[in-house]
């Protein structure tokens, strides 16, 4: 394992991953609400890590397009490989004697637009990969205040567009811009957070807590009930985003200043988060078909353990193949 890893980021990635998987099995509304910061946290982390990876790429004289292409390759190809495996395995689990998915569902899954709903998060990370070079422009803006101001203005314009239901009138806005803007802003916040202290992250967390309380109160006055932030997730707007960033920056603040020790299991899960996430989709789908419906706690534990163990075995197989002189660059897509 690498010796220059950012330890607190490993822990936060594991928290985010486990919370995302939890969302797919837990029916309890209170737990679902408490963990409803996971995707923005992972995007924030991705932005934090992108600063270093992008600058290392520039030092190797790689172009912006080369960097973006490599990032897309590392995200999209593993997802497509997994989908091929998934749809093949599911042929052994017919429903009423028929294959459970039609061609339209399969195509939409590969396009990350619909189909298997769990892969929508891959679309978010692909979007973030494409906008990574913006950090090159942001680096030329020396004032952190100006950087935050630009993001705030962009977000206000986005909220105005959503309020006027532009996303319902334009398919490009609905599937692309309605996610590029909010998650892109969170991604850029992650980039900026590489320069902020734990204390500054705590202040940012407090600001988002206030925004969450105000937006929640307004929504309560309109509907008469206390709404979960999930209702404002598709597309993401201030009520959902403010809660998620309140918790995410609070975690950043806590973990940045905590004296955390390295842990091999945590590092493995962090490094292998993509494939662990992908394999959890398979186990989440086939376990009820094999054993029937289990209680959610058991399902969660089985899915998490199976996904981690399967990814561990996969990595060991890749290690053995690599030792035989196979192309390491090609095999990298089976890691991470």
């Amino acid at each position: 394992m690498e010796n220059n890893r950012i330890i607190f980021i490993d822990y936060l990635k594991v928290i985010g991953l486990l919370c995302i998987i939890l969302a797919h099995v837990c029916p309890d509304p209170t737990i679902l609400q408490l963990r409803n910061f996971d995707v923005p946290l992972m995007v924030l982390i991705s932005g934090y890590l992108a600063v270093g990876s992008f600058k290392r790429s520039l030092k190797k004289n790689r172009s912006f397009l080369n960097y973006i292409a490599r990032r897309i390759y590392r995200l999209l190809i593993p997802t497509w490989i997994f989908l091929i495996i998934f749809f093949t395995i599911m042929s052994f689990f017919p429903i009423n004697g028929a294959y459970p998915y039609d061609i339209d569902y399969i195509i939409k899954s590969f396009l990350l637009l619909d189909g298997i709903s769990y892969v929508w998060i891959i679309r978010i990370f692909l979007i973030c990969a494409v906008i990574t070079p913006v950090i090159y422009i942001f680096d030329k803006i020396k004032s952190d205040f100006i950087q935050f101001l630009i993001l705030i203005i962009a977000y206000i314009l986005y909220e105005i567009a959503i309020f006027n239901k532009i996303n319902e009138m334009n398919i490009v806005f609905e599937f692309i811009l309605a996610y590029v803007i909010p998650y892109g802003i969170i991604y850029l916040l992650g980039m900026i957070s590489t320069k902020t202290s734990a204390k500054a992250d705590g202040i940012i967390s407090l600001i988002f807590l206030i925004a969450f309380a105000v937006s929640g109160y307004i929504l309560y006055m309109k509907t008469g009930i206390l709404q979960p932030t999930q209702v404002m997730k598709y597309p993401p707007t201030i009520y959902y985003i403010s809660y998620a960033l309140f918790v995410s920056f609070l975690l950043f603040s806590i973990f940045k200043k905590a004296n955390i020790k390295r842990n091999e299991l945590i590092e493995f899960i962090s490094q292998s988060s993509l494939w662990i996430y992908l394999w959890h989709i398979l186990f989440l789908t086939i376990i009820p078909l094999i054993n029937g419906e289990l209680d959610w706690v058991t399902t969660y534990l089985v899915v998490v353990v199976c996904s981690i163990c399967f990814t561990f075995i996969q990595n060991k197989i890749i290690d053995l193949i690599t030792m035989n002189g196979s192309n390491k660059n090609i095999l990298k897509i089976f890691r991470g």
Side-chain angles (χ1 to χ4, degrees), residues 148-158:
F148 279 112
L149 184 61
I150 291 171
L151 296 182
I152 290 170
I153 292 172
Y155 186 77
I156 290 173
L157 294 174
Y158 163 77

Side-chain angles (χ1 to χ4, degrees), residues 33 207-217 229 239 242-243 246:
Q33 174 54 54
I207 292 171
F208 281 115
L209 173 60
I210 294 170
F212 167 63
V214 172
S215 57
Y217 177 74
T229 56
Y239 185 48
S242 59
Y243 171 77
F246 149 61

Side-chain angles (χ1 to χ4, degrees), residues 108-127:
K108 286 181 177 179
S109 296
F110 276 89
L111 293 176
L112 310 179
L113 294 178
D114 210 336
I116 297 178
S117 59
Y118 304 124
V119 297
W120 77 276
I121 192 173
I122 306 300
R123 183 169 88 244
I124 300 303
F125 287 117
L126 286 171
I127 288 170

Side-chain angles (χ1 to χ4, degrees), residues 147-212:
Q147 291 180 354
F148 279 112
L149 184 61
I150 291 171
L151 296 182
I152 290 170
I153 292 172
Y155 186 77
I156 290 173
L157 294 174
Y158 163 77
E159 282 281 351
I160 291 172
I162 295 296
F163 181 79
N164 288 289
K165 301 185 184 301
I166 292 178
N167 59 304
E168 297 178 8
M169 307 174 195
N170 188 305
I171 191 169
V172 174
F173 194 97
E174 179 180 0
F175 285 102
I176 306 297
L177 294 182
Y179 294 91
V180 169
I181 298 172
Y183 285 110
I185 289 172
I186 295 171
Y187 188 68
L188 291 172
L189 282 174
M191 291 179 169
I192 294 172
S193 70
T194 58
K195 301 181 292 183
T196 57
S197 64
K199 182 178 179 181
D201 289 338
I203 294 172
I204 295 171
S205 174
L206 179 60
I207 292 171
F208 281 115
L209 173 60
I210 294 170
F212 167 63

Side-chain angles (χ1 to χ4, degrees), residues 54 58 64 131-141 191:
F54 182 63
L58 291 183
F64 290 167
I131 68 170
T132 299
V134 173
I135 193 61
Y136 182 78
I137 300 171
F138 260 51
D139 266 358
K140 295 182 181 297
I141 303 172
M191 291 179 169

